[in-house]
Each structure stands twice: as C-alpha cells, then as structure tokens.
C-alpha cells in the first residue's frame, strides 16, 4: 500500500517536483551550506595547515598525534588495565603508527568503530650508502618511495627529515630546510637550451630513478691533497652538528620532501595547496574527530598507519587487530566476535575531477572539488583487481549517517574503467583484520587535485566535511 501511495503522489507532481524527489543531480557544495559553515571550514583548515607544516613524515605525524592526544586526556594504553566508558587511550607503534581509542558506553561487545588513514607520502629516501662527489660537487643518492612522476621532483627546494640511529642505539633527529635561514637542497635539471635530447624522450623515461640525486654542497675541505674532499667536507659538517660518521647513514631513515609550506590557493582562498595531502588530508580530520568525540556508544578507534602495504607499522601487519583484541579481552569479550561486529571506514583520498585531463575521468562517476566528502565503494582497476568492495548495507548506513549529520558527500570512482584505479588502506584491512565485519570498507576521504605531486590541492570545504563525516560515524547512536 505504501508503494501505491508513493506512486500516486509522484504522478500528481510536476516534472520539476519529480526531479527534486527522484533524481540525484550533482550540485556544488557551496550552494548547499551557509556562510557560517564556510567560515568553520576556513578556520578548521588553519589547524590543518599547521599540521601539514609540522608533520611531513610518518614519525612527525605520530609525534603530533601523541602530543594532541595527551592534551585531550589520552594516556598510553595498558592491556592489563580495566577501563571504563569515556576513558581515552593510545597505542604508539614504534613511533611510526598510532591507534587512539575512546571507550564507549557499551564497550566493545557490539563491535568498535574504526577510521583508518595512512600517514606516509611519496618522497625520496636515502640509499644505504648515499654520499658521493662528482665534478667538484657533493650529492646524495636516493630511492624514491611511492607513485611519483620523477620530473616533478627536479628543480624544487627540498628539506631533509628523519632519524639517524648510531650503532650504539642513539637516535638523532634531523630536520633541515624548514626553518627560516636553514639551507635547502635540490635536484638539478638540464637547461632547455641543451635539452633537445631529453625533450624527445617519452615523459616516463626522460628521468630515471637513478637521476634523482640531491645536490648538497660544492666546497671541499681546505686541503688540496685530500681524497674525496667535497664528500669529506659534508661529513665534517654533519659530524660537527650531529656527531655522526658516514657508516651511521646505513642505519638512518632520512626522507627528502618538498620544502613548501601549506598555503591558500585562489583569490577566494577556497583551496589549500601543500605537500602531503594524500593521505594527511584524511589523517588530520580522523584525528580531530576522535579528539573531539564525546561519550560514544560503541568504542571508537582512529588508526594512523605508516605504509599501507608493508612493514610492522603498516596496515598489512597485525598491530591494529592486536590492539582491538586487547580492548576486547580487557572487557572479557572474545576478540573475533568483537571484530566480526565492528565497522570500519578507510579514510583515504580520491581523485578530484580535473577538466584539463577530462579524458581519463568518467564525469558522472567522479568526485569534484567542493562537492563534499568523497565515497568510493570500491577501488582497483581492470575488473576491480586489487580492490576492496563495500557491501550495499554498509554504504546505505554511511549515507544515512552523513545525511542525518548534515555532511556534504558525493560518490565516485578513481577514473574510467580500465583507465584508473589504485590501492588504498581499504585493500589492507581484510589482511590485517580478517574477522572484521566491514573489512571490505569503503574509501571515504577528500578529493585531491595533482595527487602524488610534490604540491597537491584540496578544497577547504571538503576537508571540513571529512572531519564532520568521521565524527558523525563515531557519534552515531
């Protein structure tokens, strides 16, 4: 009877009314929100920009998260301790990944709610034996990390971040190139006057990984008889400042990243340009969502993971499942039962539609700048290879949650079929938590322009909606 009544009402409406009732037209989010929300988005992104400037590596992101968590009353997790509703804990996994949790009124018995984001970025890592000299200049050899276009990393200012661990275990933090007055570094490129041969090569082969060598100096030690005088001078300076020798670079994790600061983009300041939006643009809102979560019904968890796929700090390892298992056992619950009732969103970015490269997008199924939080039911390419694929019931629940909380959202895919696709945190969740009820989680995150470039662009409104969306997921009754 209800369906007949609905059909009768539909028949009595005009085409315009029918369109509003039945169709799902895309509409720029600016026309859906008030000036007050725009102001809140702008203010939220001031904090986000500060985070981007202070946390350009996974280690720095975890340091930031720990400091922010402790400021909000979180304490290190003790699996032997009995926690009560409202208690806040965090687990720091080797300084490169972190789990934060707030105990719910119901605890873990009906599952936990998880938002997982990754905090690694494309960058240039040092090779184990990186230092050399050539033609009276000193250089560092690198091995690039992540999917990059190599040519984008030449002729830009670079900063040096990371740690050097000496053979006695002493850890030395390094950050050069971010403060005013610091030296910076670069990878040189050939001038156009001499670049005819380079210009004839395909874009993907014009630069090789072995070409990405960083210029770090040009002055020798003051001894004309000295061997490796330019390389030696660099080690002299590093030894004076940090007390290290060349062999210590073998056990170092040094990342060279763009020295750019996060800035507003556009006359209207509606966008943020920065290095490292993917995936810190989801990590920061997920962190803020749990820091500002009050009295959740179910226990809520934010996971900021290092690499998605590899290592004991990556989401393909078991640390997240072990953490949730400890939460469950502390309440006398069976971990696999808790996991099977849990829900999870993969807080990961998607590609924003770019009209300059429209041929690789399918416009109807793309996400757009200022369209709100982007949802991808599945990722992957070529028949959904290497993908996650969230079930319809969970997607419907997410729709309802976001709509009830006034969250702007949109849904799309990462490019055309057989053209786009890519791996995300969601692909790793089944492996790390194979009992998880929503293991095949949807990617829910911010659309990004120039993804994986040294300088990416996002919408302030979309970043704010990511925060509202993750918080709504945690707050749902």
């Amino acid at each position: 009877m209800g369906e007949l009544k609905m059909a009768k009402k539909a028949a009595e409406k005009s085409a315009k009314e029918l369109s509003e009732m039945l169709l799902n037209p895309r509409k720029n989010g600016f026309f859906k929100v008030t000036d007050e929300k725009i102001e809140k988005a702008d203010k939220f992104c001031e904090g986000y920009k500060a985070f981007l400037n202070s946390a350009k590596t996974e280690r720095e992101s975890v340091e930031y998260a720990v400091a922010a968590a402790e400021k909000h009353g979180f304490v290190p997790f003790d699996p032997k301790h009995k926690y009560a509703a409202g208690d806040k804990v965090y687990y720091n996994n080797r300084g490169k990944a972190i789990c934060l949790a707030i105990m719910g009124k119901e605890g873990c018995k009906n599952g936990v709610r998880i938002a997982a984001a990754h905090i690694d970025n494309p960058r240039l890592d040092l090779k184990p034996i990186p230092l050399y000299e050539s033609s009276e200049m000193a250089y560092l050899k690198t091995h690039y990390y992540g999917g990059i276009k190599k040519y984008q990393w030449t002729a830009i200012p670079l900063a040096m971040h990371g740690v050097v661990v000496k053979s006695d275990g002493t850890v030395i933090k390094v950050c050069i190139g971010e403060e005013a007055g610091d030296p910076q570094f670069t990878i040189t490129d050939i001038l156009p006057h001499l670049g005819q041969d380079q210009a004839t090569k395909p874009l993907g082969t014009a630069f090789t990984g072995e070409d990405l060598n960083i210029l770090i100096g040009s002055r020798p030690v003051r001894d004309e008889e000295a061997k490796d005088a330019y390389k030696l001078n660099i080690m002299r300076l590093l030894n004076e400042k940090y007390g290290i020798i060349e062999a210590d670079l073998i056990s170092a994790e040094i990342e060279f990243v763009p020295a750019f600061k996060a800035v507003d983009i556009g006359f209207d300041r509606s966008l943020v340009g920065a290095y490292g939006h993917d995936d810190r643009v989801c990590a920061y809102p997920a962190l803020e969502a749990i820091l500002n979560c009050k009295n959740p019904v179910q226990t809520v968890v934010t996971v900021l993971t290092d690499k998605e796929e590899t290592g004991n700090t990556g989401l393909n390892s078991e640390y997240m499942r072990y953490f949730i298992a400890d939460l469950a056992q502390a309440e006398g619950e069976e971990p696999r039962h808790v996991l099977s009732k849990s829900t999870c969103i993969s807080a990961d970015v998607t590609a924003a539609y770019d009209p300059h490269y429209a041929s690789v997008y399918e416009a109807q199924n793309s996400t757009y700048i200022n369209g709100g939080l982007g949802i991808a039911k599945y990722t992957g390419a070529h028949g959904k290879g290497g993908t996650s694929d969230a079930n319809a019931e969970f997607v419907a629940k997410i729709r309802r949650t976001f709509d009830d909380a006034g969250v702007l959202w949109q849904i799309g895919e990462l490019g055309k079929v057989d053209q786009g696709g890519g791996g995300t945190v969601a692909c790793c969740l089944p492996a790390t938590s194979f009992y998880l009820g929503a293991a095949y989680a949807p990617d829910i995150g911010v659309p990004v322009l120039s993804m994986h470039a040294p300088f990416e662009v996002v919408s302030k409104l979309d970043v704010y909606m990511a925060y509202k969306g993750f918080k709504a997921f945690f707050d749902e009754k």
Side-chain angles (χ1 to χ4, degrees):
M1 290 296 291
E3 292 178 357
L4 289 174
K5 287 182 179 179
M6 184 175 179
K8 185 177 180 181
K9 285 183 178 180
E12 296 171 351
K13 293 184 180 294
S14 67
K16 181 180 178 182
E17 291 172 326
L18 279 175
S19 178
E20 292 175 351
M21 182 176 74
L22 301 177
L23 299 184
N24 184 37
R26 191 187 70 79
K27 190 175 183 180
N28 189 293
F30 184 83
F31 297 105
K32 298 180 180 180
V33 297
T34 62
D35 288 344
E36 182 184 10
K37 281 193 176 179
I38 294 293
E39 290 174 5
K40 286 183 177 180
D42 291 349
K43 183 177 180 181
F44 182 82
C45 284
E46 290 304 304
Y48 174 51
K49 288 189 293 184
F51 166 72
L52 286 172
N53 290 337
S54 62
K56 288 189 173 182
T57 70
E58 60 281 0
R59 289 179 184 271
E60 292 168 354
S61 296
V62 170
E63 288 176 6
Y64 180 99
V66 168
E70 290 182 345
K71 193 173 180 179
H72 282 77
F74 285 72
V75 297
F77 177 62
D78 179 359
K80 297 179 181 178
H81 185 78
K82 298 294 183 183
Y83 292 99
D87 285 347
K88 305 174 181 180
V89 299
Y90 69 86
Y91 165 60
N92 184 342
N93 182 9
R94 298 168 174 85
K96 296 175 71 176
I98 187 170
C99 300
L100 305 99
I102 300 179
M103 308 306 166
K105 297 174 185 176
E106 296 178 352
C108 294
K109 65 181 181 181
N110 293 316
V112 301
R113 294 180 184 171
I114 309 161
H118 66 91
I119 48 177
D120 59 323
N121 292 103
R123 62 187 188 242
L124 302 177
D125 291 339
L126 287 193
K127 287 189 174 185
I129 303 176
L131 183 59
Y132 76 102
E133 65 178 59
S134 179
S135 302
E136 301 180 350
M137 289 181 282
Y139 295 91
L140 290 170
K141 291 180 176 289
T142 70
H143 191 136
Y144 67 91
Y145 169 81
I148 68 170
K149 293 179 179 178
K150 301 178 188 68
Y151 72 88
Q152 294 180 331
W153 288 77
T154 65
I156 63 172
L158 300 172
M160 179 179 177
H161 292 244
V163 296
V164 179
V165 183
K166 302 175 72 172
S167 60
D168 65 1
T170 303
V171 178
I172 301 165
K173 290 178 61 177
V174 176
C175 183
I176 305 172
E178 298 291 353
E179 299 299 326
D182 277 3
Q184 295 180 341
F185 313 92
T186 196
I187 298 168
T188 57
D189 192 6
I190 194 168
L191 60 162
H193 312 71
L194 301 178
Q196 293 184 27
D197 290 345
Q198 182 194 72
T200 62
K201 295 179 181 179
L203 193 60
T205 60
F207 298 87
T208 71
E210 294 295 345
D211 293 329
L212 299 178
N213 299 313
I214 299 171
L215 178 61
I216 58 169
S218 66
R219 291 178 180 173
V221 293
R222 286 189 176 275
D223 184 346
E224 293 186 10
E225 302 300 320
K227 184 181 179 182
D228 298 327
Y230 299 87
K231 171 180 172 179
L232 182 59
N233 193 45
I234 296 301
M235 280 312 311
R236 178 184 65 82
L237 294 170
L238 290 174
N239 182 262
E240 288 176 357
K241 185 173 179 63
Y242 297 109
I244 62 174
I245 61 175
E246 185 179 11
D248 292 329
L249 297 177
I250 294 171
S251 52
E253 287 185 3
I254 298 295
E255 304 172 16
F256 278 83
V257 301
F260 310 135
K261 300 296 185 183
V263 296
D264 291 344
I265 295 291
F267 289 114
D268 56 6
R269 297 180 175 268
S270 61
L271 307 161
V272 177
Y275 162 72
H277 282 315
D278 177 14
D279 185 38
R280 289 188 178 88
V281 75
C282 297
Y284 180 77
L287 173 62
E288 286 293 308
I290 198 166
L291 294 182
N292 292 288
C293 182
K294 309 293 184 185
N295 303 315
V297 174
Q298 292 176 258
T299 293
V300 296
V301 178
T302 284
V303 180
L304 305 183
T305 194
D306 181 15
K307 304 171 182 67
E308 300 158 58
E309 304 90 349
T310 61
N312 56 12
T313 54
L315 205 56
N316 224 13
S317 67
E318 297 288 347
Y319 76 89
M320 185 185 85
R321 187 166 72 89
Y322 291 162
F323 176 69
I324 295 171
D326 284 340
L327 294 178
Q329 289 175 333
E331 297 178 11
E333 301 290 340
E334 175 60 43
R336 60 192 175 93
H337 294 160
V338 170
L339 285 163
S340 67
K341 297 174 185 176
S342 296
T343 52
C344 179
I345 56 178
S346 164
D348 212 337
V349 299
T350 188
Y353 183 87
D354 190 330
H356 294 96
Y357 308 99
S359 63
V360 299
Y361 295 88
E362 196 265 279
Q364 182 168 303
N365 286 284
S366 293
T367 54
Y368 292 77
I369 289 292
N370 289 324
L373 187 54
I375 300 174
K377 186 177 183 294
Y378 47 79
T379 58
H382 308 294
K384 300 184 183 178
T387 189
S388 66
D389 198 341
N391 61 48
E393 291 83 356
F394 190 54
V395 174
K397 182 179 179 181
I398 290 295
R399 285 177 55 199
R400 182 172 63 252
T401 298
F402 289 174
D403 287 343
D404 289 347
V407 177
L408 290 180
W409 62 272
Q410 54 187 320
I411 192 162
E413 295 183 349
L414 190 62
K416 286 182 176 178
V417 175
D418 291 334
Q419 179 77 51
T424 67
V425 168
C427 301
C428 302
L429 287 167
T432 192
S433 303
F434 52 88
Y435 294 115
L436 199 57
Y440 293 97
D443 283 305
I444 300 178
V446 176
V448 178
L449 291 168
S450 302
M451 190 189 297
H452 280 217
F455 192 78
E456 303 168 310
V457 177
V458 297
S459 154
K460 290 182 179 180
L461 181 59
D462 297 342
V463 177
Y464 180 62
M465 287 301 159
Y467 163 70
K468 284 182 61 68
F470 299 152
K471 191 168 184 302
F473 174 66
F474 286 157
D475 289 342
E476 187 183 22
K477 305 303 181 187

